[in-house]
C-alpha cells in the first residue's frame, strides 16, 4: 500500500471528510476523487524523483524499509511515470471541468508552495528555505491541501477554521 503511494490519498480523504463534517459542509464526490488523485500524484512524483539514484542505505535485497518505495520506483519508474501521466491528465480534466473557482482559486497558492518545496528538495537541498525543516514543510502543505475543500466553503467564518488547520499541520509534521 505504501510502496504504491496509496496510503497518503486514503489519509487525505479521511481527514478531508472529517474537516467537512466539522465545518458542516458537504464535499462533492468529484472533489474527493481529485484530492485523492492529486495526493497520489504528489507522492508518486516525489518517490520517482527520490528513486533516481541509489541511496546510501541500500543494504540487503531491498534496502531499508523506508527506502523500499524508492527502490521500487527506481526499478519500475517508466511504467509508474506512464500511469502518473494518465492520472495527471484525468485529474486535470476533471478538476477544470467539474470543480469551481471557489476551490481552485485558493488551491493555486498551495500548488505554488508545493512546486517551491519540490524544487528545494530535488534541485539542491538548502538553496531555498534552508532553515525550514522538511517535516514542517510537508506537514503544512499536506494539511493545507486536505483542509482546502472544506475551508473554501466557509466564507467569513473560515478564519476560525484555520486554528484547526494549524493544529492538523502540526500533527502532520510529526509524521
Amino acid at each position: 500500500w505504501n510502496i504504491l503511494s496509496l496510503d497518503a490519498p486514503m489519509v487525505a480523504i479521511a481527514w478531508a471528510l472529517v474537516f467537512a463534517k466539522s465545518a458542516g459542509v458537504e464535499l462533492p464526490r468529484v472533489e474527493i476523487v481529485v484530492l485523492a488523485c492529486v495526493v497520489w500524484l504528489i507522492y508518486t512524483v516525489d518517490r520517482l524523483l527520490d528513486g533516481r539514484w541509489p541511496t546510501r542505505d541500500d543494504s540487503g535485497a531491498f534496502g531499508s524499509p523506508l527506502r523500499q518505495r524508492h527502490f521500487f520506483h527506481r526499478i519500475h519508474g517508466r511504467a509508474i511515470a506512464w500511469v502518473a501521466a494518465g492520472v495527471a491528465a484525468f485529474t486535470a480534466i476533471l478538476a477544470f471541468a467539474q470543480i469551481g473557482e471557489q476551490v481552485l482559486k485558493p488551491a493555486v497558492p498551495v500548488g505554488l508552495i508545493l512546486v517551491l518545496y519540490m524544487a528545494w528538495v530535488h534541485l539542491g537541498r538548502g538553496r531555498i528555505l534552508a532553515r525550514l525543516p522538511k517535516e514542517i514543510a510537508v506537514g503544512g502543505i499536506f494539511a493545507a491541501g486536505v483542509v482546502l475543500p472544506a475551508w473554501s466553503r466557509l466564507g467569513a467564518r473560515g478564519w476560525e477554521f484555520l486554528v484547526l488547520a494549524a493544529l492538523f499541520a502540526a500533527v502532520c509534521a510529526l509524521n
Side-chain angles (χ1 to χ4, degrees):
W1 204 247
N2 180 266
I3 288 174
L4 296 175
S5 304
L6 296 171
D7 54 335
M10 195 171 77
V11 169
I13 290 169
W15 277 104
L17 293 173
V18 166
F19 280 111
K21 185 163 180 74
S22 71
V25 298
E26 191 170 327
L27 300 182
R29 288 184 183 164
V30 68
E31 288 183 24
I32 295 168
V33 170
V34 168
L35 175 63
C37 290
V38 166
V39 170
W40 182 82
L41 284 165
I42 292 166
Y43 275 75
T44 298
V45 167
D46 185 55
R47 289 173 181 174
L48 283 168
L49 293 170
D50 283 343
R52 290 179 299 177
W53 300 285
T55 62
R56 292 182 197 141
D57 189 17
D58 276 344
S59 57
F62 295 104
S64 70
L66 294 175
R67 298 293 179 189
Q68 290 178 11
R69 59 188 178 214
H70 300 147
F71 184 71
F72 178 83
H73 283 71
R74 188 174 2 155
I75 291 173
H76 304 288
R78 180 163 282 153
I80 294 168
W82 277 106
V83 171
V87 170
F90 168 76
T91 304
I93 291 167
L94 202 58
F96 292 118
Q98 299 289 320
I99 295 180
E101 184 179 323
Q102 177 185 18
V103 175
L104 289 180
K105 191 174 180 181
V108 170
V110 176
L112 291 174
I113 291 168
L114 172 67
V115 169
L116 285 174
Y117 166 78
M118 294 291 267
W120 170 51
V121 170
H122 295 290
L123 295 179
R125 295 173 192 244
R127 289 190 205 153
I128 301 171
L129 304 173
R131 299 206 188 281
L132 181 67
K134 183 178 176 180
E135 295 79 13
I136 292 175
V138 170
I141 295 167
F142 183 82
V146 167
V147 170
L148 188 113
W151 179 77
S152 67
R153 290 175 166 73
L154 291 177
R157 56 187 192 123
W159 295 109
E160 299 165 5
F161 199 70
L162 288 181
V163 173
L164 290 175
L167 291 172
F168 179 58
V171 169
C172 291
L174 294 174
N175 186 11

